Amino acid sequence: MFKKTGIATLEMIKEKFPSEERRNKGPYAIFECFQEIPCNPCHTSCRIKAVESIEEDINNIPDVNHDKCTGCSMCVSACPGLACFVIDETYSEDKFSLKIPYEFLPLPKEGDVVSALDREGNTVGTAEVLKVQDHERFDHTNVITLALSKEFIYSVRNIKVDGE
Ligand code: SF4
Ligand code: SF4
């Protein structure tokens, strides 16, 4: 199922994405969480109860009902596994926005151009920082909003800030 490194394959990632129609409507959550573990902050943080599979059983793999999800990003900050992201493909013609959980210091600043990393930590391009919401906003992990070329939609999930 996983690569030898424990990193999810492209096929596994693509299975988490909603329909093309939903992707064209606005922001949606992606949970890169693949194992049955007793964990539920993604569910408890979601005010509209879009994570229905965990409502049934805390051990279930979280599954977002994308018809309900508004892309609010509360789950991005709440997930202890840093496995929740919010993608908005309607950001522009050639770029998407990506909300990521971020626990390193220093935090980037809005307007910064930072290194865009894939799941293995390789630098694959650059990202523009659109918004920085620190943990006081959500009471959990900082959330960084990025603008990225659409070629990175399945690959980039982290950043490197100069000075780290
Ligand atoms: S982005 Fe908001 S609405 Fe969507 S699953 Fe996360 S908490 Fe729920
Ligand atoms: S909170 Fe995060 S790690 Fe826990 S079940 Fe939800 S997505 Fe997985």
Side-chain angles (χ1 to χ4, degrees):
M1 188 179 183
F2 290 98
K3 284 182 178 177
K4 282 181 186 167
T5 56
I7 294 168
T9 62
L10 179 60
E11 187 183 16
M12 292 163 67
I13 299 299
K14 285 188 171 178
E15 283 176 3
K16 296 288 185 181
F17 277 67
S19 67
E20 199 68 30
E21 185 186 8
R22 174 63 187 85
R23 290 172 63 166
N24 291 330
K25 280 186 179 167
Y28 55 86
I30 291 288
F31 292 179
E32 297 191 4
C33 181
F34 302 94
Q35 293 182 309
E36 294 179 346
I37 49 172
C39 184
N40 69 357
C42 54
H43 165 63
T44 55
S45 66
C46 183
R47 291 176 186 148
I48 55 164
K49 306 295 177 210
V51 192
E52 295 167 344
S53 57
I54 288 190
E55 200 166 322
E56 293 158 14
D57 183 341
I58 193 173
N59 291 296
N60 283 346
I61 292 172
D63 194 17
V64 184
N65 180 335
H66 286 110
D67 291 329
K68 285 188 175 180
C69 175
T70 60
C72 71
S73 76
M74 296 303 290
C75 55
V76 178
S77 180
C79 170
L82 310 184
C84 300
F85 305 88
V86 168
I87 288 175
D88 185 358
E89 298 181 58
T90 66
Y91 174 71
S92 80
E93 191 65 34
D94 57 345
K95 290 185 176 176
F96 70 104
S97 74
L98 172 68
K99 290 180 185 289
I100 63 167
Y102 193 74
E103 293 188 332
F104 295 105
L105 292 173
L107 288 175
K109 297 186 297 301
E110 291 175 14
D112 282 356
V113 175
V114 295
S115 298
L117 310 183
D118 66 13
R119 291 177 190 78
E120 296 180 58
N122 302 308
T123 300
V124 295
T126 58
E128 179 190 352
V129 177
L130 299 177
K131 192 186 281 188
V132 178
Q133 292 165 288
D134 70 20
H135 62 282
E136 289 177 8
R137 161 74 175 81
F138 289 111
D139 201 28
H140 290 286
T141 301
N142 309 304
V143 175
I144 311 294
T145 308
L146 308 163
L148 288 146
S149 165
K150 283 184 175 171
E151 71 183 288
F152 298 128
I153 200 155
Y154 298 117
S155 58
V156 170
R157 293 296 182 268
N158 206 345
I159 56 170
K160 186 174 190 305
V161 180
D162 284 346
E164 256 178 36

